[in-house]
Amino acid sequence: MSAWNGANLNHVKEPVLEALARYKFRGITCSIDGITNETYAAYRRTGNVERVFENIRKINANKRRWKTRYPKLRWQMIAFGHNAHEVAPARALAAELGMEFFLKASWDPNYSPVEAQGPTAPTAVPDPARAAAPASSPGAQPAQGEDLTRTYSACSSGSSRRSTSTASCSRAA
């Protein structure tokens, strides 16, 4: 079993965290849209990012205890204007926590849009684990120095409430 569609890990009981490793649950995508509580809670209302990080550390401790590499953990971050400055630190923290990092564009171009100019406009640093992935493959990352606002604007058109990954969007010219 796996939960690649996304989980917030805000409210998980200790026995469940242990069971994920003990019974080799295959993988979890953790929806984490910031590294500080202020940024995280702007989109994940009533969420507590410190609790999420604590639960990830508990999962990792249980993986060591049960001598397993499962569950594999993936950090999924939706790029917004209010969290763009945290993309690079989030990628680094994901690596520290033994997680893959997957950056997505927002489904709503009007909600906290990523700005094209300014010090907080994100530039992607490729995930070494995905560097060889073709642009059309799931989880492909933008090239180093690529302005994510191009990806954001190309991906966020349309009325679907579902997030669209940067990998499946055509790049804006």
Side-chain angles (χ1 to χ4, degrees), residues 23-43:
Y23 300 111
K24 296 178 177 68
F25 193 82
R26 291 298 185 211
I28 303 169
T29 296
C30 306
S31 302
I32 310 171
D33 303 308
I35 59 171
T36 63
N37 253 344
E38 180 182 5
T39 303
Y40 177 80
Y43 187 65

Side-chain angles (χ1 to χ4, degrees), residues 6-172:
N8 67 34
L9 293 182
N10 262 285
H11 306 286
V12 186
K13 297 185 186 307
E14 290 281 335
V16 173
L17 295 172
E18 180 183 359
L20 290 169
R22 185 176 183 183
Y23 300 111
K24 296 178 177 68
F25 193 82
R26 291 298 185 211
I28 303 169
T29 296
C30 306
S31 302
I32 310 171
D33 303 308
I35 59 171
T36 63
N37 253 344
E38 180 182 5
T39 303
Y40 177 80
Y43 187 65
R44 305 286 171 186
R45 305 273 189 229
T46 71
N48 182 326
V49 77
E50 290 304 322
R51 186 177 331 133
V52 173
F53 293 147
E54 181 180 324
N55 287 334
I56 290 168
R57 289 182 179 100
K58 288 177 182 178
I59 290 170
N60 285 332
N62 282 309
K63 287 165 64 171
R64 288 187 297 276
R65 176 181 177 201
W66 292 102
K67 297 177 174 72
T68 182
R69 60 185 183 154
Y70 298 108
K72 294 191 179 217
L73 300 173
R74 179 185 300 158
W75 179 321
Q76 174 181 283
M77 183 175 188
I78 301 173
F80 294 109
H82 69 268
N83 70 0
H85 64 286
E86 293 186 353
V87 171
R91 185 183 307 277
L93 183 55
E96 180 182 313
L97 293 170
M99 304 174 77
E100 286 184 86
F101 186 82
F102 187 73
L103 185 63
K104 294 178 76 171
S106 172
W107 56 269
D108 183 351
N110 299 314
Y111 179 81
S112 188
V114 176
E115 297 296 326
Q117 303 295 323
T120 61
T123 54
V125 177
D127 182 342
R130 299 211 180 259
S136 61
S137 67
Q141 297 294 320
Q144 183 168 357
E146 178 179 349
D147 184 354
L148 293 182
T149 56
R150 293 186 323 130
T151 301
Y152 176 86
S153 62
C155 297
S156 57
S157 60
S159 59
S160 171
R161 285 190 53 93
R162 199 179 80 194
S163 299
T164 306
S165 84
T166 57
S168 64
C169 302
S170 59
R171 303 284 189 238

